[in-house]
Amino acid sequence: MSVHWFEKLFKHRGVIWLLFIVNFFGTIYGYMWYGNQLEYTAANYPAWLLPFVPDSPTASLFFTAALLLLLYPPKSLKGTLLRELIEALAVLTSVKYGIWAVSIIFAGGYQGDTVGWKDWMLVASHTGMAVEALIYARFFAFRRMLPLALLWTLANDMVDYSIGIYPWLPSVLEDDVIGVQYFTIGLTLLSAAAAWVFSRRTRPLESFSDRR
């Protein structure tokens, strides 16, 4: 009974629309948050590296798009494949960067960095990213696209840490970049495993778009 109630709640169109709106505006705020680093990257690195800079907002963008595709699923094969890729990227990167951001904030605090109200806001929002991704993974069917999403995310990791455009860290962690790099790559693999475990082999027959 509890599982049925849980699924019914998160399949409700009103709930999906609410989460879509929250994630949509959260994504915009996230890109604004990365404004200074984007400006710095544009001034000091090739322009093609810019998409690799705002990791968390891009994860949120994928999840926002995945929610919209729950409400309005594509009918064609190409559209379905694109939907599955977006879902795979949404779950993998939302889990990864949700956990990553919280871990980095607490690691910085452990080493003496001040954890202010903005940091606690980020802890709450990024925890929500990871949780909602795992909740909705059970309604997605993206396993055949997960390897491609994993390759993209690993490539992002390699670009971030080989070129030096990883998200700016608390100053107390600047001497721990190698450790952060290994943690990030390991978290990518762990998040891919979680995405696989929580996802379905086949998509549920019930259409979200039919709910009123």
Side-chain angles (χ1 to χ4, degrees), residues 89-196:
L89 287 166
V91 175
L92 195 164
T93 59
S94 293
V95 172
K96 173 191 173 178
Y97 292 115
I99 297 174
W100 186 92
V102 173
S103 300
I104 293 301
I105 290 171
F106 287 155
Y110 180 77
Q111 294 197 27
D113 189 44
T114 300
V115 179
W117 69 268
K118 288 185 178 180
D119 297 301
W120 286 111
M121 178 192 69
L122 291 174
V123 167
S125 62
H126 284 77
T127 299
M129 279 178 59
V131 171
E132 68 181 2
L134 292 177
I135 288 174
Y136 277 89
R138 66 188 292 116
F139 307 135
F140 297 153
F142 54 77
R143 287 187 174 184
R144 59 181 167 180
M145 285 299 181
L146 189 56
L148 186 58
L150 175 59
L151 287 175
W152 162 260
T153 310
L154 287 172
N156 193 10
D157 293 342
M158 296 307 296
V159 170
D160 277 358
Y161 292 94
S162 63
I163 298 178
I165 59 168
Y166 52 84
W168 286 345
L169 301 170
S171 58
V172 294
L173 296 181
E174 286 296 341
D175 58 347
D176 297 314
V177 173
I178 298 300
V180 172
Q181 177 183 358
Y182 289 139
F183 170 71
T184 302
I185 295 173
L187 193 53
T188 296
L189 299 175
L190 180 63
S191 299
W196 178 273

Side-chain angles (χ1 to χ4, degrees), residues 17 21 37 114:
W17 272 117
I21 293 169
Q37 186 171 357
T114 300

